[in-house]
Amino acid sequence: MKNNYEFPYRTYEFVSDAPCEVNITESEQSLHFEVFLNETELLQIDKTEIVLEMESSSSMHRSIRKLHFTNDQYVCCSIDLELVGTIVEYSVFIVATEDGDIELNGKSEYHEKGDCLGILSSDKHLCDGDVFSSFIRVNSHGLSNIEYDLSQNDFITIKLPREVYQKYVHWQMDTENTPLIVASMAYPVIQYALFEILHNDGMNEKNWYTILETLLKRSNFLIKDLTIDLIPGAVDQMLDSCINKLIDATSSDLVEDDHTLLG
Amino acid sequence: MSKIITPDSLSQLVINIKESENILFNYTKNNFNPDGLDVISTIYDPTFPSIDENIVDKIVEIYRREGNECEVGILLYESLENMTPRKAGNPGYWTQMNHHSFYKYIAIRWPRLWELESAELNSSKYILDHWVQVSSSQSDLMRYPISGLWWSVHLSIDETRSDKYELTRVLFMNDTLRTRQLGTARFARHKPAIHAVLEHIQDLVEQGISLEKVANLITPYVNMLGGIRPLSYFDKEWFKHKLNDYHF
């Protein structure tokens, strides 16, 4: 009867590598999905429909939305942010709507209702940026450069170009990359924030300032006593010798003599 | 308003517990001494619920009286007003709760730290396994004592029933079923799936079939159903129909 037990699912041969594209944006309370269908012929396959599944481990959420495409092959839907955790996995599937024979790529095959006939798109989204620290988060924006945003109350935000951010999302999940994240992202942005604190009033009203102040104090530095030349060392100490850890993590096989190579 | 341990502090706490024996002395039988753990920095978040200490006393009393955690879980769930799944996935919140409001409860429920000779128990691991949550994975949220209670009720509560906790009582029939099998299954994230499974378990147990046998078979079976289709596509009736077709 059934012949599509070919994990993971893919039985329909899509014409392109990107049969659909998914854009995700966040507002204060919701996560918005915009799905653009590139392969419109998928809408012509009888007894099938296209659905979006959203899943989040930390909020134990799993739900599906049926996507009813309009003439411009575009559909959008939202989900309450309180229902999903930091990482949302999503997939766009084409599924059978009833039991019976379905013609796919010129071949007729029997499928049961709900069988997955193909995955149009599948990826992960990091909500609220990646809160890799208690007061720094990483987000994407539509520009091609990297920006630091100190204007928010709770977080210093590192804004990455969208494509870079998508790569970062996967990269940061590997804990082996933590020393690189701390040294290459946290270290410079905290220095930047401290330079700004030295030159601008009013920063001490931010929540992130309080956390930063506490962490520095633990490393025996007071913000009010900091000068420009002290900042690099203070931040390095606050981040638990992040540069040293970076070198250890990336050059573990170096022998003593090899250190000259770094000079 | 509630406190949350920052991610940095959670990581540091794990390292300290693993590396320093002195820190273990803060975990006494009657209460936690936070003075020896200066690594813990917290932030206040007004959106996270706190719990009344009288409720905690009541929870301890219920556990001592009944020796079962179902009613404990229900009271906890009802007491944490305005809790959302997103907030309930925050390990910093639960670790703070584990060390303060619920320290005594966990110490009573999981007392081996003070019952066994140190040679028989890896104290660091025991503390990390019961008090210190750093991960927001489904399995950790279900496995830890307090977050596991909240999530067990959340997954099984069925507002459509006259007794909305009827299925919660089924889930709490067996700890392994709750915290290792059903509770950690991916399909449990889809309420129609876990509700159908719990209903089916209830029916089978009433028919005299062993709970252990059902528990061992049902999770792999539903996972197999999801092997070729997104399970969130289906409603509860579909799951019940599939479960009825399978002979346990």
Side-chain angles (χ1 to χ4, degrees):
Chain A
M1 289 278 278
K2 290 176 70 60
N3 58 2
N4 69 333
Y5 285 91
E6 293 169 7
F7 187 81
Y9 308 128
R10 194 178 291 270
T11 58
Y12 183 81
E13 290 170 19
F14 297 106
V15 177
S16 65
D17 289 339
C20 81
E21 287 165 39
V22 182
N23 279 346
I24 302 173
T25 51
E26 280 177 52
S27 63
E28 204 166 306
Q29 293 176 335
S30 305
L31 198 59
H32 306 282
F33 288 81
E34 294 177 293
V35 184
F36 302 88
L37 188 64
N38 295 329
E39 293 194 21
T40 52
E41 52 272 35
L42 290 171
L43 298 174
Q44 309 306 319
I45 303 173
D46 279 343
K47 301 179 205 164
T48 65
E49 63 184 335
I50 297 174
V51 298
L52 167 70
E53 184 181 55
M54 293 163 281
E55 190 163 13
S56 179
S57 170
S58 65
S59 67
M60 298 192 205
H61 179 84
R62 193 174 177 187
S63 65
I64 219 160
R65 301 289 169 87
K66 295 181 179 183
L67 302 178
H68 302 291
F69 286 93
T70 53
N71 282 340
D72 54 1
Q73 290 88 49
Y74 161 83
V75 71
C76 61
C77 58
S78 300
I79 187 167
D80 187 337
L81 271 176
E82 287 299 327
L83 290 177
V84 294
T86 311
I87 298 171
V88 181
E89 294 175 51
Y90 63 90
S91 299
V92 179
F93 297 112
I94 179 167
V95 294
T97 53
E98 57 186 87
D99 297 353
D101 289 330
I102 296 175
E103 195 169 314
L104 297 172
N105 304 115
K107 272 169 60 185
S108 185
E109 291 175 348
Y110 179 82
H111 291 280
E112 283 182 14
K113 180 185 175 181
D115 281 359
C116 175
L117 310 176
I119 303 172
L120 284 74
S121 177
S122 188
D123 211 338
K124 291 174 181 171
H125 175 79
L126 215 59
C127 293
D128 259 352
D130 163 37
V131 188
F132 72 75
S133 175
S134 49
F135 67 104
I136 300 172
R137 67 178 179 180
V138 182
N139 253 336
S140 66
H141 66 169
L143 304 176
S144 58
N145 60 324
I146 296 172
E147 283 184 2
Y148 296 153
D149 181 2
L150 306 180
S151 64
Q152 304 293 312
N153 194 44
D154 291 322
F155 295 96
I156 295 169
T157 306
I158 302 171
K159 293 180 177 175
L160 300 178
R162 195 158 285 134
E163 303 84 321
V164 179
Y165 177 75
Q166 287 302 332
K167 285 192 270 185
Y168 164 80
V169 167
H170 296 282
W171 178 69
Q172 61 84 35
M173 285 176 190
D174 186 347
T175 52
E176 283 191 12
N177 289 328
T178 301
L180 282 86
I181 294 170
V182 174
S184 66
M185 299 182 76
Y187 187 54
V189 79
I190 294 170
Q191 290 189 69
Y192 171 79
L194 288 168
F195 288 135
E196 289 295 307
I197 287 168
L198 292 188
H199 292 105
N200 296 300
D201 294 327
M203 297 281 190
N204 57 357
E205 289 166 12
K206 312 273 187 200
N207 282 347
W208 60 256
Y209 178 97
T210 311
I211 299 171
L212 181 55
E213 186 179 42
T214 311
L215 293 172
L216 279 166
K217 205 181 280 179
R218 208 180 288 157
S219 302
N220 301 316
F221 289 98
L222 297 175
I223 287 184
K224 68 179 177 61
D225 295 336
L226 281 181
T227 54
I228 285 178
D229 56 330
L230 283 176
I231 287 175
V235 178
D236 181 53
Q237 212 167 310
M238 187 192 104
L239 294 174
D240 206 12
S241 305
C242 66
I243 299 299
N244 187 42
K245 283 190 173 168
L246 170 70
I247 294 168
D248 284 347
T250 53
S251 317
S252 55
D253 294 326
L254 275 183
V255 293
E256 195 65 27
D257 285 346
D258 288 340
H259 286 215
T260 53
L261 295 173
L262 300 171
Chain B
M1 180 183 287
S2 197
K3 278 183 178 178
I4 299 159
I5 299 178
T6 62
D8 299 344
S9 288
L10 284 179
S11 311
Q12 194 60 50
L13 184 58
V14 172
I15 293 167
N16 289 3
I17 289 173
K18 281 181 181 169
E19 292 179 354
S20 165
E21 284 196 358
N22 289 339
I23 209 166
L24 306 182
F25 295 117
N26 295 295
Y27 292 81
T28 67
K29 191 169 183 177
N30 296 316
N31 65 325
F32 170 69
N33 170 25
D35 297 339
L37 291 182
D38 58 355
V39 295
I40 295 186
S41 75
T42 54
I43 49 172
Y44 280 99
D45 191 324
T47 65
F48 277 75
S50 57
I51 194 159
D52 190 305
E53 290 304 317
N54 292 329
I55 298 286
V56 179
D57 289 342
K58 208 168 166 184
I59 280 173
V60 171
E61 186 193 316
I62 291 172
Y63 178 70
R64 279 188 163 141
R65 190 178 64 232
E66 302 193 3
N68 176 296
E69 291 192 289
C70 184
E71 296 307 318
V72 168
I74 291 170
L75 181 55
L76 169 78
Y77 189 80
E78 290 183 342
S79 303
L80 291 177
E81 288 176 15
N82 304 321
M83 180 60 104
T84 64
R86 183 180 183 79
K87 294 186 180 88
N90 188 319
Y93 171 77
W94 291 117
T95 300
Q96 172 71 13
M97 282 286 201
N98 296 345
H99 281 82
H100 292 276
S101 299
F102 286 98
Y103 184 84
K104 187 178 169 187
Y105 176 78
I106 300 173
I108 292 167
R109 176 68 181 84
W110 302 96
R112 296 182 72 204
L113 194 59
W114 305 280
E115 287 178 354
L116 296 176
E117 292 298 322
S118 57
E120 296 175 72
L121 183 79
N122 182 335
S123 302
S124 299
K125 187 176 183 310
Y126 196 82
I127 288 170
L128 291 172
D129 285 349
H130 294 90
W131 278 275
V132 185
Q133 288 178 251
V134 290
S135 163
S136 59
S137 67
Q138 180 176 348
S139 57
D140 269 17
L141 289 169
M142 287 302 293
R143 196 169 58 80
Y144 275 85
I146 306 303
S147 63
L149 292 175
W150 190 91
W151 275 107
S152 298
V153 179
H154 182 74
L155 294 179
S156 57
I157 190 170
D158 183 354
E159 301 282 354
T160 64
R161 291 169 181 264
S162 55
D163 173 9
K164 63 183 179 183
Y165 296 120
E166 188 179 352
L167 297 179
T168 304
R169 294 190 175 87
V170 178
L171 184 58
F172 274 88
M173 281 162 64
N174 181 293
D175 266 358
T176 307
L177 175 77
R178 180 172 71 85
T179 64
R180 308 277 169 182
Q181 293 170 324
L182 272 190
T184 56
R186 212 178 131 202
F187 69 77
R189 300 172 190 176
H190 182 47
K191 281 210 172 196
I194 189 161
H195 288 181
V197 166
L198 289 169
E199 259 184 49
H200 199 67
I201 290 174
Q202 188 179 28
D203 290 346
L204 293 175
V205 171
E206 278 172 8
Q207 289 165 27
I209 299 174
S210 139
L211 176 62
E212 281 71 24
K213 182 185 170 190
V214 177
N216 285 332
L217 293 173
I218 209 161
T219 303
Y221 173 63
V222 181
N223 281 337
M224 190 197 74
L225 292 176
I228 55 157
R229 48 180 82 89
L231 288 179
S232 52
Y233 186 75
F234 299 100
D235 59 16
K236 193 169 102 179
E237 290 310 309
W238 183 85
F239 286 99
K240 286 178 72 172
H241 175 73
K242 289 288 180 188
L243 288 163
N244 282 329
D245 281 352
Y246 188 75
H247 297 288
F248 289 93

